[in-house]
Amino acid sequence: TPEGDPEIILEDLASDGVDAAVMHPNLSLFGLYSDDHELSMAHARVYNDYIAERFTPYLDRIAPTAPIPITDVDDAVAEIERVAAMGSRAALLPATPPIPYYSRELDPVWDALVATGLQPFFHTQTGGVKVDDPASTTLRVVMDQARQVNQPMTEKSASKRMITQAVYSPIVPSQLICELIGGGVAERYPSLHFSLIEFNAHWLASLVGAMDKCWVTGIGQDADWWLGIWDDTRPPTDQPNVAQLFRLNDKWPYPLAPSEYVRRQFHVSFQADPVAVACRHLTGVSSIVWGNDYPHAEGTFRGSKELIATQFAGVPDDETAAMIGGTLGGLLGFSSPVPA
């Protein structure tokens, strides 16, 4: 997209059968969420000024996300209020935050999002950048992939490729969801919807099953099973090192199960992911949203029409419509969500 020209973007998207899109920063992701707050915030303000100046006439078709560094909560709140005044509908927060998302210190950020009507998005490979460390997380991943391409395939590298993609890759989005739900953020802020971008979604069914299982005492989990070390110097009624292990499962502090919060408020994007589609009734149809990841090479741009025809074959029209535009279109207020 030469210089990010919105007219060219819209032409490209139309050629791919896409009517409207959510747009995220590209290479700027490397500098937006670093351990240098002033640098990150200055970068974010410049980018947010740019999208306001360049894309405001196109907001009916393109919804840019406004990056918000959260290394300083007061500055984050101020930037949320500023971009909302300029017409933004979505804030982009780091997938790897400087403090855990269950921290009550971040409540002013959620309060500001609710007050302004912005919805939070989280893009893969964001956060954790250390300005003075050239081998910080994101760059290290990219360089490691390049090295693998340029080396012969071995038993080790074949294993490592799958371990990285299938085991390690879901850790960040899974932790993000667990922290937002376990920290009560989803419960306290029911109007917020948390969208995770470019993480794929095949892992989501496993996650919701595992999260719910944490808080259920079922067959094979004997509630009367005691574990620990008995202290003969203490009375039987005062044994802090002995407990009925599975009573922990009864201590879930919120009214909904974790999977119910996912169904109500979480949306994980995918591209070519037939497993995510097949598992949609376990995760909730609205919890998975398709995108073509234009213009990236790992996306489906130029092949989206063919992909949709095959990936959603046999899926009811209303469910297809929700996944390929209806859910995000409704969330961000597009006047005409993408049709099936």
Side-chain angles (χ1 to χ4, degrees):
T1 55
E3 298 179 1
D5 187 328
E7 290 289 348
I8 294 178
I9 291 173
L10 290 174
E11 288 177 12
D12 284 347
L13 292 176
S15 72
D16 205 36
V18 176
D19 297 329
V22 183
M23 186 184 80
H24 309 286
N26 193 16
L27 293 179
S28 54
L29 291 174
F30 291 100
L32 283 166
Y33 309 103
S34 74
D35 57 352
D36 184 331
H37 172 69
E38 293 302 325
L39 178 65
S40 297
M41 187 56 72
H43 197 120
R45 289 176 180 138
V46 169
Y47 179 81
N48 289 334
D49 286 343
Y50 160 72
I51 58 176
E53 177 182 336
R54 196 76 174 91
F55 286 86
T56 294
Y58 304 90
L59 294 182
D60 59 332
R61 302 282 301 283
I62 300 174
T65 56
I68 307 292
I70 56 174
T71 31
D72 182 284
V73 171
D74 289 342
D75 281 356
V77 169
E79 188 64 5
I80 289 170
E81 293 170 345
R82 191 178 79 91
V83 299
M86 295 191 294
S88 290
R89 288 171 282 179
L92 188 66
L93 305 180
T96 301
I99 60 175
Y101 275 122
Y102 58 71
S103 303
R104 285 293 187 118
E105 296 171 53
L106 293 173
D107 277 6
V109 173
W110 312 126
D111 290 334
L113 292 176
V114 171
T116 58
L118 269 66
Q119 292 292 352
F121 284 69
F122 308 83
H123 196 286
T124 187
Q125 301 293 338
T126 53
V129 173
K130 298 179 181 178
V131 172
D132 295 325
D133 181 7
S136 62
T137 306
T138 303
L139 181 60
R140 185 170 65 248
V141 170
V142 173
M143 296 308 298
D144 189 54
Q145 289 178 343
R147 282 192 292 270
Q148 289 184 49
V149 171
N150 293 324
Q151 294 172 352
M153 184 59 65
T154 64
E155 291 86 349
K156 179 180 179 179
S157 58
S159 302
K160 185 176 180 180
R161 165 73 173 168
M162 290 187 290
I163 290 169
T164 300
Q165 295 297 315
V167 179
Y168 294 158
S169 290
I171 289 177
V172 167
S174 297
Q175 181 169 311
L176 199 163
I177 292 174
C178 288
E179 289 185 355
L180 289 170
I181 295 176
V185 180
E187 169 61 24
R188 297 196 308 276
Y189 299 94
S191 65
L192 291 183
H193 287 246
F194 307 94
S195 298
L196 281 63
I197 304 304
E198 208 180 329
F199 288 103
N200 292 309
H202 50 76
W203 48 269
L204 186 59
S206 175
L207 178 69
V208 297
M211 287 194 300
D212 281 359
K213 188 173 177 60
C214 288
W215 309 107
V216 173
T217 303
I219 295 174
Q221 295 174 310
D222 186 351
D224 292 326
W225 188 47
W226 291 78
L227 189 68
I229 301 174
W230 188 269
D231 187 346
D232 289 329
T233 67
R234 307 177 76 102
T237 56
D238 182 22
Q239 292 290 331
N241 297 319
V242 178
Q244 291 169 293
L245 182 63
F246 292 112
R247 291 301 181 192
L248 182 62
N249 296 14
D250 299 329
K251 299 185 74 170
W252 178 241
Y254 306 113
L256 301 183
S259 62
E260 292 176 307
Y261 288 111
V262 170
R263 285 174 174 265
R264 189 176 79 174
Q265 291 170 259
F266 286 78
H267 313 285
V268 180
S269 78
F270 66 98
Q271 293 144 220
D273 195 339
V275 172
V277 176
C279 292
R280 66 191 183 278
H281 293 137
L282 297 175
T283 62
V285 174
S286 69
S287 297
I288 57 173
V289 293
W290 175 83
N292 67 352
D293 195 31
Y294 167 85
H296 291 171
E298 67 269 27
T300 66
F301 177 58
R302 296 193 179 94
S304 298
K305 295 177 184 177
E306 178 184 356
L307 174 84
I308 288 172
T310 56
Q311 184 164 248
F312 297 96
V315 177
D317 289 347
D318 60 332
E319 295 181 4
T320 299
M323 288 184 280
I324 67 170
T327 295
L328 275 184
L331 180 63
L332 293 177
F334 285 115
S335 58
S336 299
V338 179

